[in-house]
Amino acid sequence: MAVLKFTDWWDRFFAIGIILKGLDGVLELVAGTLLLFIAPDRIHQLAVLVTQPELSEDPNDFIATHVLRTATGLSDHVVTFTAVYLLAHGIVKVVLVTALLMDKLWAYPWMIGVLVIFILYQFYQLTLTPSLGLVVLTVFDILIVVLTWHEYRRHRRRGKEMA
């Protein structure tokens, strides 16, 4: 079984990026699984519990009021959709990152394609509800696409040189 080799700083930078993307996928799997078992009213109760201390000090705190407003508007449908969305994202990311770490050539274009689809959807979401977190995630995904494209080209070049 081949494993990704770290021959220079590009390889290391790529490995760090995809490992972080894999951890992101694992967190999405955990969050999606939790959402399948937690009712919206329980999420709202948790949001109240977490934001209450901050809102008692500053009733206009941006993050606390945003969290509370979001939790208030949750329905079973929204929670189920979010859970399925997170689970799908998480599974795809974990599978592709694992394949990349095992140095599977087929995974490079798949990772690029999947991330481009995620990025396009994130751009769409940013037009509807801009958020700093989504901007950071989108920039990170763009960086991973660039690194994956670069590694894929280097990987194919190395293969041609050996042939």
Side-chain angles (χ1 to χ4, degrees):
M1 174 169 61
V3 177
L4 186 64
K5 293 174 180 44
F6 308 114
T7 58
D8 60 14
W9 68 272
W10 272 108
D11 290 336
R12 288 181 190 93
F13 196 50
F14 172 70
I16 291 168
I18 63 168
I19 288 169
L20 289 173
K21 185 51 69 183
L23 292 173
D24 174 46
V26 169
L27 289 174
E28 287 178 341
L29 287 172
V30 169
T33 302
L34 286 174
L35 285 177
L36 287 176
F37 299 104
I38 300 175
D41 61 323
R42 299 291 288 172
I43 295 171
H44 182 260
Q45 290 171 359
L46 180 62
V48 169
L49 182 68
V50 170
T51 59
Q52 191 172 16
E54 186 59 38
L55 290 173
S56 65
E57 289 178 24
D58 178 10
N60 298 316
D61 183 272
F62 176 76
I63 294 173
T65 56
H66 183 71
V67 166
L68 199 54
R69 191 176 329 115
T70 301
T72 300
L74 291 178
S75 66
D76 287 334
H77 174 73
V78 169
V79 171
T80 302
F81 173 81
T82 304
V84 170
Y85 181 82
L86 288 171
L87 288 169
H89 267 225
I91 290 167
V92 168
K93 288 176 187 175
V94 168
V95 167
L96 288 173
V97 165
T98 301
L100 288 172
L101 290 173
M102 293 173 58
D103 208 22
K104 302 294 184 188
L105 190 60
W106 62 264
Y108 289 84
W110 276 99
M111 178 63 104
I112 292 166
V114 165
L115 286 179
V116 165
I117 291 168
F118 289 168
I119 290 165
L120 292 174
Y121 181 73
Q122 289 160 198
F123 277 137
Y124 168 72
Q125 283 297 103
L126 283 169
T127 63
L128 300 176
T129 52
S131 75
L132 180 61
L134 193 54
V135 169
V136 170
L137 178 63
T138 304
V139 169
F140 180 64
D141 283 349
I142 291 169
L143 175 65
I144 297 301
V145 166
V146 170
L147 287 171
T148 304
W149 175 256
H150 182 266
E151 270 309 294
Y152 181 57
R153 289 181 56 209
R154 290 178 69 194
H155 190 71
R156 289 184 54 183
R157 218 175 302 128
R158 284 183 214 137
K160 288 180 183 176
E161 290 170 3
M162 295 176 144

